[in-house]
Amino acid sequence: MNHAASESGRRSFVQYRGPAVVAAAIAVLAAWLGASFGARQSALMLVGVAAGLVLYHAAFGFTSSWRTFIATGRGAGLRAQMLMLATACLVFFPLLATGEFHGQPLRGFVSPVGVSVVVGAFMFGVGMQLGGGCASGTLYTAGGGNTRMLVTLTAFIVGSVIGTVHGPWWTATPAFAPISLIQRHGAPVALGLSLLLFAAIASFTIAIERRRHGSFESLSGQAGDDVRHRWLHGPWPLVAGALGLAAVNIATLLLAGRPWGVTGAFALWGAKALASAGVPIHTWPSFATPAQRAALDASVLADVTSVMNVGIVLGALTAAMLAGRFAPVWRVPARSLVAAVVGGLLLGYGARIAYGCNIGAYFSGIASGSLHGWLWLVAAFAGNVIGVRLRPYCGLSAR
């Protein structure tokens, strides 16, 4: 009886009082950031919180969506990603063609197209399936109480530092100069071409799903009896996740002057940890540029990407508590633990040499009109195919 009462009390705190405590912490942090670094930094942290809420409540997993399509032919998650990309491009392309918004200079993520993107994105794709998440997925699932993801995240940070150190070698591998569809063809033509590609991919997933299952799943999901409860506690339909993440990236572009990224902060966190341990990382060529030195010397919360990542974790933590699903499990099978470490290392290393992750290269790259974003998508998807096949050997489900 006492145990039951104790368990009931714990659940009550997690689901009702816990979110209030986290919300209060978010408010205090936002106020401190505003006072210390300006209103923009505070607003970007809150945008990160919104991203964490959307990612968790909509269960918007890039990794799980790709795995589901590869293993079962169900493509709703991929179609949601195409909707997300199309929505972002509709806003990004005109803004980036103009180059500014109310005095704020705007730039996209446009990177070289070459060997490093192919190799890095492929490695990242394998790592997605072994680690159990992507860049944003690792953050929001860790924030939601997934203890295995803390292992993946730690290895992700280590891999990011190693990838940064090896970056100059990969930069020297064969590559074409950065190609912007917006600059090359103009925003209207580039937007039309992109929308056609999104529609073609979505149509392809529908054709595969119909052939294998006789019908295809809707992005709107099933309407619940209590709409208010569903939006507060989840799950949200995929269409809400797609539009929500597009809004997050648009807000990031307008506030920060550049699109949403995630993994650059991981390399910074790892470098700061090494520096605090006495490693002379300031002397390493890969961390010796003026910008990198300034970031190493400054507070981590002065970094835009870092402060948004903190927001994602806090947003996911709030969402998990509201849904009553914050219940960390500390025992992780050995094979799964090894896969988390290997997957995290591949994720970190791959993201650094491929000029970004599923957010910075895939989402923001394509939304910026960069050809490297499309190459990243193809190479990372190929890596996911291999990763899905390796999962059973690590004690993980192939679905």
Side-chain angles (χ1 to χ4, degrees), residues 96-296:
L96 291 175
T98 302
E100 63 90 25
F101 181 77
H102 289 295
Q104 164 79 288
L106 303 177
R107 66 174 180 86
F109 285 165
V110 183
S111 300
V113 179
V115 172
S116 66
V117 175
V118 174
V119 175
F122 181 85
M123 291 174 67
F124 192 94
V126 177
M128 287 170 73
Q129 296 304 330
L130 296 184
C134 52
S136 57
T138 302
L139 286 172
Y140 93 78
T141 48
N146 188 319
T147 51
R148 181 182 185 270
M149 277 303 176
L150 295 175
V151 177
T152 300
L153 178 58
T154 301
F156 204 142
I157 293 169
V158 173
S160 296
V161 173
I162 299 171
T164 302
V165 172
H166 292 172
W169 187 89
W170 286 104
T171 302
T173 58
F176 294 102
I179 298 173
S180 167
L181 298 178
I182 299 171
Q183 292 181 357
R184 178 161 293 196
H185 301 293
V189 173
L191 181 59
L193 289 172
S194 299
L195 293 177
L196 282 174
L197 285 169
F198 301 147
I201 293 172
S203 299
F204 174 74
T205 67
I206 289 173
I208 294 295
E209 196 166 342
R210 276 180 166 164
R211 187 174 70 184
R212 294 186 62 175
H213 302 280
S215 62
F216 65 93
E217 296 174 340
S218 167
L219 299 187
S220 60
Q222 298 295 321
D225 295 331
D226 187 342
V227 175
R228 180 174 174 274
H229 182 276
R230 184 183 185 192
W231 283 97
L232 186 62
H233 300 285
W236 294 356
L238 281 171
V239 65
L243 297 177
L245 291 186
V248 164
N249 211 345
I250 292 166
T252 305
L253 177 67
L254 298 179
L255 286 167
R258 52 84 164 164
W260 184 17
V262 173
T263 57
F266 295 165
L268 175 62
W269 297 354
K272 278 184 168 291
L274 288 174
S276 66
V279 178
I281 198 164
H282 290 78
T283 64
W284 296 6
S286 302
F287 292 94
T289 67
Q292 289 168 327
R293 285 183 176 177
L296 285 171

Side-chain angles (χ1 to χ4, degrees), residues 46-68:
L46 294 175
V47 171
V49 171
L53 286 165
V54 172
L55 286 162
Y56 190 90
H57 272 329
F60 202 94
F62 292 81
T63 302
S64 58
S65 294
W66 290 12
R67 181 169 65 249
T68 298

